Amino acid sequence: MTESVPVIDGLSALAEPYDAFILDLWGVVHDGVRPFPGVNACLAELRARGRTVLLLSNAPRRTGAIAGKLGAMGVDPAGWTWLMSSGEATHEALRDRDAAPFDRLGRRLYHLGPERDVDVYADLPGYTVVHRLAEADFVLNTGPDSYDETVDDHRPVLSEAAERGLPMICANPDLVVMVGEIRAICAGTLALEYEAMGGAVAWIGKPYPAVYRRCLGLMGDPAPDRVLAVGDSLRTDVAGAQAMGFDSLFVAGGIHGEDLAGPGGALDAGRLADLVADRGIAPNAAIAELRW
């Protein structure tokens, strides 16, 4: 028997017990092009009530670049308190080199990803960017160059890197993302293929605890039971929240939107219950899209 997940109409039905909110970006706050209709009003309500709002993205870019993009697409900067990303966490780990596997990485970096992601490593001293895998000590994977690329487009590079035994740093554990109406693969899909080839991958970002510990530090270390995580991925947002002892709100209209839409496009509670049962990851509640 599948267990139903409570479906709420707005965050106001759930917000009262929490001091801090960790919100995913893509699929929750925006669709890659513009903010969702109720998001700015929802964030304003949280801030007006004195809540801490931290935006946590698996984007493989640093927070300065992400903040600029959020403002350009119309997300009100007054609506959030802190911003953290897997790209920022990767930058810090490459800089500090104080934990495995970064403490034993070589210094010759092969970047598998687009030019827009170079801020993850560009200003770090001591690293040399190489353009041939034969010269590399490790691969930094930030994902495909364009939204229409497939795993097959990158298979030659992945195969050669695996044959050479190069460790991979995956700076975005997401598998897919919705860019408007386009479903695009992310660095996580390439990393899974690399692991299938026998390659070693270090995953940086949600659902892994290290990035959440950074978030808690920024927010003043609130008690876990006073934190609500909001996201559209059961694999990263909800599973990551559960591992940290946070409650979670699942935004069903994100990457799972097509699977969960019933007649007329409304959220189908039965399909949601089936998806949660199939994945074995249950949020505390679900909402069609983020609104107050």
Side-chain angles (χ1 to χ4, degrees):
M1 179 177 179
T2 56
E3 182 178 353
S4 63
V5 175
V7 177
I8 62 174
D9 291 327
L11 186 57
S12 59
L14 197 66
E16 184 58 35
Y18 305 104
D19 299 321
F21 294 77
I22 298 177
L23 274 62
D24 182 36
L25 282 179
W26 218 313
V28 174
V29 171
H30 64 76
D31 66 357
V33 179
R34 61 187 63 84
F36 292 110
V39 162
N40 280 326
C42 184
L43 297 182
E45 290 286 353
L46 288 174
R47 298 295 294 129
R49 287 162 170 75
R51 303 307 204 273
T52 298
V53 176
L54 184 144
L55 306 181
L56 174 58
S57 174
N58 269 352
R61 284 171 290 286
R62 299 194 63 192
T63 54
I66 295 171
K69 183 173 181 180
L70 289 174
M73 71 170 60
V75 178
D76 187 352
W80 49 273
T81 321
W82 300 101
L83 177 61
M84 176 52 68
S85 69
S86 57
E88 188 72 29
T90 301
H91 175 88
E92 293 175 0
L94 286 168
R95 179 195 66 200
D96 297 341
R97 299 178 63 89
D98 58 357
F102 295 90
D103 56 352
R104 56 179 182 269
L105 279 183
R107 295 283 188 168
R108 293 173 298 178
L109 176 160
Y110 180 94
H111 180 204
L112 172 58
E115 184 71 18
R116 62 179 176 269
D117 299 337
V118 300
D119 65 345
V120 172
Y121 60 85
D123 65 349
L124 291 172
Y127 290 93
T128 300
V129 179
V130 299
H131 301 286
R132 297 175 62 247
L133 288 167
E135 301 170 349
D137 294 319
F138 69 97
V139 175
L140 175 62
N141 170 18
T142 66
D145 286 8
S146 62
Y147 299 133
D148 59 353
E149 291 181 1
T150 68
V151 172
D152 286 341
D153 293 321
H154 297 274
R155 199 176 302 278
V157 168
L158 296 175
S159 297
E160 183 181 348
E163 289 171 2
R164 295 183 178 279
L166 298 178
M168 173 183 286
I169 306 300
C170 179
N172 175 3
D174 286 351
L175 302 182
V176 296
V177 68
M178 296 301 297
V179 186
E181 300 298 320
I182 301 171
R183 191 177 186 89
I185 65 168
C186 298
T189 293
L190 301 181
L192 281 183
E193 181 67 18
Y194 194 62
E195 285 187 331
M197 293 176 174
V201 178
W203 299 80
I204 311 300
K206 298 177 289 183
Y208 303 99
V211 76
Y212 288 104
R213 288 194 289 267
R214 284 176 163 86
C215 294
L216 290 173
L218 289 172
M219 296 188 298
D221 292 312
D225 63 356
R226 304 288 291 180
V227 178
L228 180 70
V230 183
D232 71 324
S233 169
L234 295 174
R235 173 182 166 270
T236 57
D237 299 306
V238 176
Q242 289 180 351
M244 295 300 294
F246 308 151
D247 285 347
S248 61
L249 174 63
F250 174 59
V251 178
I255 59 172
H256 295 289
E258 290 185 2
D259 300 327
L260 299 177
L267 171 59
D268 186 305
R271 292 184 181 185
L272 173 61
D274 290 342
L275 176 67
V276 166
D278 179 65
R279 302 297 173 87
I281 305 170
N284 296 85
I287 190 170
E289 61 182 29
L290 186 60
R291 55 180 174 262
W292 185 249

